[in-house]
Amino acid sequence: MGANSGLFNRKTLAAAVSTCLLASVGAEVVAQEQQMEEVVVTGIRASLQRSMDVKRDSSGVVDVITAEDIGKFPDTNLAESMQRISGVSISREGGEGSRVTVRGLGAEYNLVTHNGRTVARTTGDRSFNFAEIAAELIAGVAVSKTASADTDSGGMGATIDMRSIRPLAVGEQKAVVSGKYITDSSWAGGNTPEIFALYSNTFADDTIGVSVAFDYQERESSLARAMLDNGWKTFTENNAQNDTHPNVGIYSKPQSARYKFEQDKRERFNGQLVVQWAPTDSIEATLDYDTYERSIYSDRNEVSAWFTYPENSDIATPIQGLWTASNGVATPLLYSETYYSPNIADNLNGNPNDLSMAGGHYAHKFTGDTLGVNVKWAVSDALNLEFDYATSEASDTPDHELGSDVNLSTAAFTRTSTTIDTTGEIFSVINGGGDATANQMRVTGSVFQNNANDSNVDQFKFKGNFELNEESTIDFGVRSTEVTNRRRSVTVQQNGWGGLGVAGEMTAAFEGTDAYVRDRFDGAFSTFADASFLPANGRLKDGTDLTSATPMNHFFDWDLETVQQLARENYDVSNETVGDCPDGTSSVFCSTKDYSLGSDNQTTETTNAIYVQYTYQLEDLEARVGVRHEATDVESTGLNVLYTGANWGADTEISFTGRTQSYVTYKADYSNTLPNIDISYNATEDLVLRSSWSKSIARAAYDEIGADVSVGGNFGRQVGYATGSQGNPSLVPYESNNLDVSIEWYYSDSSYFAASGFSKKISNFIADETVILNGRYADEMPEIHDPFAGTYTQAAVAALGSSATGQELRTYIFDNFDGEPGVTRDTSAGASTFAGDIIGQQADPLVEFRMDTPSNSGDDRELQGLELALQHMFGETGFGMQANYTMVNSDLDYDTSRPSTNQRPLLGVSDSANLVGFYDLNGWNVRMSYNWRDQYLSAYTDSGNQSPIFVDAYFQLDLGISYEVTDNLKVSLDGINITENAITYSARNSDQKFQHDEYGGRWMLGASYSF
């Protein structure tokens, strides 16, 4: 089951069969591949000319980016290059491009292949992270926006194929060595290297070609983030809170304010080997091997204050705010809560709250290997055959002895009030009680987690092209693909959120770690200029004067391993799950790799496909009709955690007992028939008209088709039900009926204008729904009964009244029923009168489980858009430009004026635009790129009181300059996000600021030498 299991045997098999199994490719595809792989004339203009030629000669709507020279892609990142294509926009991680959205459909709806093969990935869904691939190893990228029978299914938005360099296409000895000095301008960015080398040559009269290349990169960057963690909680008019909100429909309040700082270290290695053999003019065999290893270590510190929505029973008039309303949604621009007052007349039951300062890390290593063998055989002038076999593996493993994902929280319980001002670029917070000191800090809750993911892909294809006559050809083929994904996770969590031990025990870990929020941001903070408009001129019940108080700035930038070690020494916390520490001991402050204590799910998806496609070409008209039929089998095995009972063991909480585990397996199958029709017409020598209709699919995420069930180990008695989630192996793919029309005007060399309209009608939409199950959530477990709703509690309520507190009810039950079935009072020294266990009995009502599970909706949705693209060369001056604009409309929009319940929006839909100006002459290559993306929905939940998350409109400027010092030596300077723009997020309107991220910019000074 490991990431490398069986790879040697499959590689050996592939190498052996490559010499005796033959195949070929259709003439059109051959021409496209050769144009992407051959790099003869270099530079920006030559690259754009090759890309335009492929676009013009294609049957469907295709856009291509080709390398400017061997080892020189237009941008330093593949995703950054693809966003120059009309209809393509990207998302970023760590300030660099990672995933691609095409025509409003996110990365999970697009199929990404490498040399036409599916690549193993560990993202959990169907998306591909382009940050794992060095752009220098790629000769070209083709984005096919229309589906065809000879293309693998899965790209409902587009199929994106990356092509490797081919030594026989290079046709000569070629060597390139380059190096870059990378500097990151973020608050803790570093200076790091990147090294690339490639050697390609042909032998035996150009019948054998070999190329070998590698790329090594280090990067140190950082992030400064201000966020309203958990978003804005939404309420309706009749769900009154203790505040002064205007009644305009719905209103929202912040849930927490957090400043978060990450320091990232990334290391990536890519290697590539290509061997080709063409013993005759009719046979060509190619062996590809690609490997990568990418490690990420992200160290995190943060400071936060939670809003608790206190009641008048805690403190008199605890909530104040200055409100505004827009589009039926009310939002406080200033929001204030008071928790404790030194005036005994004001302070009823309130206590100071925690000023939290958490830390943690993200430590993962991503590795992957792909081996492919391809043989093409031109059997005759009319018949071409092709065989292809590939195996691909990827893994995501923990890369730190404390765990892959760690969060350790500390706090000082000093916060008497918290007020937030969201009117500025970055929100400001004033906390009553002032700054925390080192001797006030205490350890609270912690999570030490290990996550591991493995993926294996084995695929085989056989295809052919037969020329019936001068006007007609038939493409045909079969393909089999097996994809196995396994994901495992185990968590060690302790919930000492009220604070472990006493203040002063952790002082040594915090002394000397003082840091300041405002030193790490460049944006402007809110100023509390309107604080005097609050009651009492902005003076709160705890004595804080908002017109003169200093906003929160100080925090402790403490070291994770230091605090973790001291916590281990000071606190022996009992817990159901404990970790295995590096020194061989056990503790809740360590992680474990015993995944049997957590979750373990494996899915195997086998797809067999057959297709046929007929192409008719007569002078200026080409018509293509095809159909592809696929049958898919799904087998999913998951480790389910089951329980046998429920215990009302604490005042507000009911926990499950009798934890057991079992593996369960589910099987499902489905089939799809996918037709396509493409027509292109050369209306004039320079004008091409196209029309395409097709059906395409996108499969559910691997996480969604899992068999595992996850249920929390407890639930609140006042909530009244338990919650959980479960996968659905029976999900069928999204289906889209696509219509494309385009006009392309190639009005001069290397220049063209194109307009494309598209429509996608999507069915089988996948969304979470809540399924209510009574008593059990799996057939393998007994029915569980709710003790709080049971006969003992009913007797207590009858005696004490419905207003009795949980403690009073429990005391009554122990006083009257101790020793009865399920009732055991805690009689240990110092135990309270309400301490003990109350176990649900057979006569008690069943526990209600509300399980979130993905399902196929019966609703059909539509996506429509228009793409405009212009490429123009200004004669022989060396100057040129590219521009494109994409408009996307959808009936899948999110309605911000109503709660989230029963909304099914599509994520990532937005307009986008790009403008690139360049100069390419006399050894100079200069490019300035402007990229803009409009606001889009990034996330939402199906809970009525949670806010959506929108990524606000964003633009970025990138710069690339290179100069050929000699025929062999080139120097370059590249800048990414040279204006250092921040990425911002909002909720229901622009007043509800959600997140502000500053990544800074990145500069790369490089030199390359080729011979």
Side-chain angles (χ1 to χ4, degrees), residues 516-553:
Y516 299 91
V517 168
R518 301 193 175 206
D519 290 348
R520 299 183 177 181
F521 286 98
D522 292 327
F525 285 79
S526 304
T527 62
F528 288 93
D530 297 325
S532 60
F533 292 101
L534 289 170
N537 295 319
R539 188 172 182 87
L540 306 180
K541 290 297 181 75
D542 68 341
T544 300
D545 187 344
L546 298 176
T547 64
S548 59
T550 301
M552 180 172 68
N553 190 26

Side-chain angles (χ1 to χ4, degrees), residues 642-682:
L642 310 176
Y643 299 95
T644 59
N647 176 24
W648 182 16
D651 177 20
T652 61
E653 185 177 274
I654 296 171
S655 58
F656 295 116
T657 61
R659 184 182 190 274
T660 61
Q661 299 172 173
S662 69
Y663 279 94
V664 294
T665 298
Y666 296 99
K667 295 182 179 181
D669 61 82
Y670 56 85
S671 62
N672 300 95
T673 300
L674 308 173
N676 69 280
I677 302 173
D678 302 288
I679 300 173
S680 62
Y681 176 61
N682 295 325

Side-chain angles (χ1 to χ4, degrees), residues 197-240:
L198 177 143
Y199 178 78
S200 178
N201 203 355
T202 58
F203 309 92
D205 295 327
D206 295 333
T207 61
I208 296 176
V210 177
S211 71
V212 60
F214 79 90
D215 183 271
Y216 174 78
Q217 181 193 79
E218 294 179 8
R219 187 180 169 208
E220 294 181 2
S221 62
S222 56
L223 164 66
R225 170 175 291 170
M227 66 184 301
L228 296 181
D229 204 18
N230 295 307
W232 293 74
K233 191 169 184 177
T234 301
F235 303 91
T236 59
E237 286 181 328
N238 55 10
N239 185 8

Side-chain angles (χ1 to χ4, degrees), residues 12-22 277 285-287 372-375 387:
T12 304
L13 173 62
V17 298
S18 67
T19 60
C20 59
L21 294 175
L22 309 172
W277 179 45
T286 302
L287 183 145
V373 177
N374 180 276
V375 181
F387 161 83

Side-chain angles (χ1 to χ4, degrees), residues 96 236-237 252 544 731 859:
E96 61 182 337
T236 59
E237 286 181 328
S252 303
T544 300
L731 288 174
D859 298 336

Side-chain angles (χ1 to χ4, degrees), residues 502-724:
V502 297
E505 295 175 335
M506 300 294 295
T507 302
F510 294 89
E511 289 179 330
T513 66
D514 304 87
Y516 299 91
V517 168
R518 301 193 175 206
D519 290 348
R520 299 183 177 181
F521 286 98
D522 292 327
F525 285 79
S526 304
T527 62
F528 288 93
D530 297 325
S532 60
F533 292 101
L534 289 170
N537 295 319
R539 188 172 182 87
L540 306 180
K541 290 297 181 75
D542 68 341
T544 300
D545 187 344
L546 298 176
T547 64
S548 59
T550 301
M552 180 172 68
N553 190 26
H554 170 269
F555 70 102
F556 292 110
D557 192 10
W558 47 268
D559 178 70
L560 174 63
E561 295 184 30
T562 301
V563 172
Q564 180 263 352
Q565 181 61 35
L566 191 56
R568 283 183 57 197
E569 296 172 359
N570 287 342
Y571 310 118
D572 182 15
V573 181
S574 60
N575 206 56
E576 183 177 0
T577 305
V578 296
D580 304 313
C581 300
D583 61 4
T585 61
S586 298
S587 171
V588 295
F589 297 106
C590 295
S591 65
T592 180
K593 290 187 178 179
D594 184 356
Y595 293 105
S596 67
L597 301 175
S599 63
D600 183 0
N601 193 83
Q602 178 171 297
T603 60
T604 298
E605 188 178 73
T606 304
T607 299
N608 295 307
I610 184 170
Y611 73 87
V612 62
Q613 187 163 259
Y614 172 76
T615 302
Y616 177 81
Q617 187 167 6
L618 180 63
E619 296 181 352
D620 296 321
L621 177 67
E622 179 181 290
R624 184 173 67 172
V625 180
V627 62
R628 183 184 187 92
H629 182 77
E630 296 188 339
T632 301
D633 294 319
V634 178
E635 181 176 303
S636 185
T637 300
L639 175 63
N640 288 346
V641 176
L642 310 176
Y643 299 95
T644 59
N647 176 24
W648 182 16
D651 177 20
T652 61
E653 185 177 274
I654 296 171
S655 58
F656 295 116
T657 61
R659 184 182 190 274
T660 61
Q661 299 172 173
S662 69
Y663 279 94
V664 294
T665 298
Y666 296 99
K667 295 182 179 181
D669 61 82
Y670 56 85
S671 62
N672 300 95
T673 300
L674 308 173
N676 69 280
I677 302 173
D678 302 288
I679 300 173
S680 62
Y681 176 61
N682 295 325
T684 69
E685 184 178 355
D686 302 322
L687 190 66
V688 180
L689 306 178
R690 302 184 194 276
S691 178
S692 297
W693 175 83
S694 64
K695 179 180 283 189
S696 58
I697 64 171
R699 292 181 172 85
Y702 296 116
D703 289 347
E704 292 177 324
I705 60 174
D708 55 332
V709 178
S710 174
V711 171
N714 53 68
F715 65 96
R717 65 169 177 82
Q718 293 175 314
V719 174
Y721 56 85
T723 60

Side-chain angles (χ1 to χ4, degrees), residues 33-50:
E33 291 179 1
Q34 288 175 345
Q35 286 174 301
M36 291 170 61
E37 295 163 0
E38 293 177 2
V39 183
V40 181
V41 182
T42 63
I44 299 173
R45 181 165 182 159
S47 170
L48 295 178
Q49 178 67 58
R50 286 191 295 271

Side-chain angles (χ1 to χ4, degrees), residues 57-186:
D57 295 338
S58 299
S59 295
V61 180
V62 178
D63 288 286
V64 171
I65 300 174
T66 62
E68 297 170 6
D69 197 354
I70 290 187
K72 178 63 176 74
F73 216 67
D75 293 87
T76 59
N77 173 282
L78 289 176
E80 302 280 355
S81 285
M82 279 186 285
Q83 71 177 337
R84 317 296 178 210
I85 295 174
S86 60
V88 176
S89 53
I90 67 172
S91 59
R92 293 174 171 86
E93 294 178 1
E96 61 182 337
S98 58
R99 288 169 172 81
V100 171
T101 293
V102 182
R103 292 181 163 181
L105 293 173
E108 64 272 28
Y109 304 108
N110 300 312
L111 175 66
V112 177
T113 59
H114 191 182
N115 296 319
R117 303 159 180 148
T118 301
V119 182
R121 62 205 66 185
T122 56
T123 54
D125 54 20
R126 307 282 173 164
S127 66
F128 182 82
N129 189 343
F130 286 93
E132 294 175 348
I133 305 296
E136 289 80 358
L137 301 183
I138 300 300
V141 176
V143 180
S144 300
K145 300 174 185 176
T146 51
S148 63
D150 59 349
T151 302
D152 284 355
S153 67
M156 192 169 70
T159 298
I160 302 169
D161 187 36
M162 303 175 290
R163 287 284 168 178
S164 301
I165 296 167
R166 293 291 184 251
L168 290 182
V170 176
E172 61 180 358
Q173 177 174 271
K174 184 76 172 181
V176 180
V177 178
S178 67
K180 293 178 183 177
Y181 174 81
I182 306 172
T183 183
D184 194 289
S185 67
S186 54

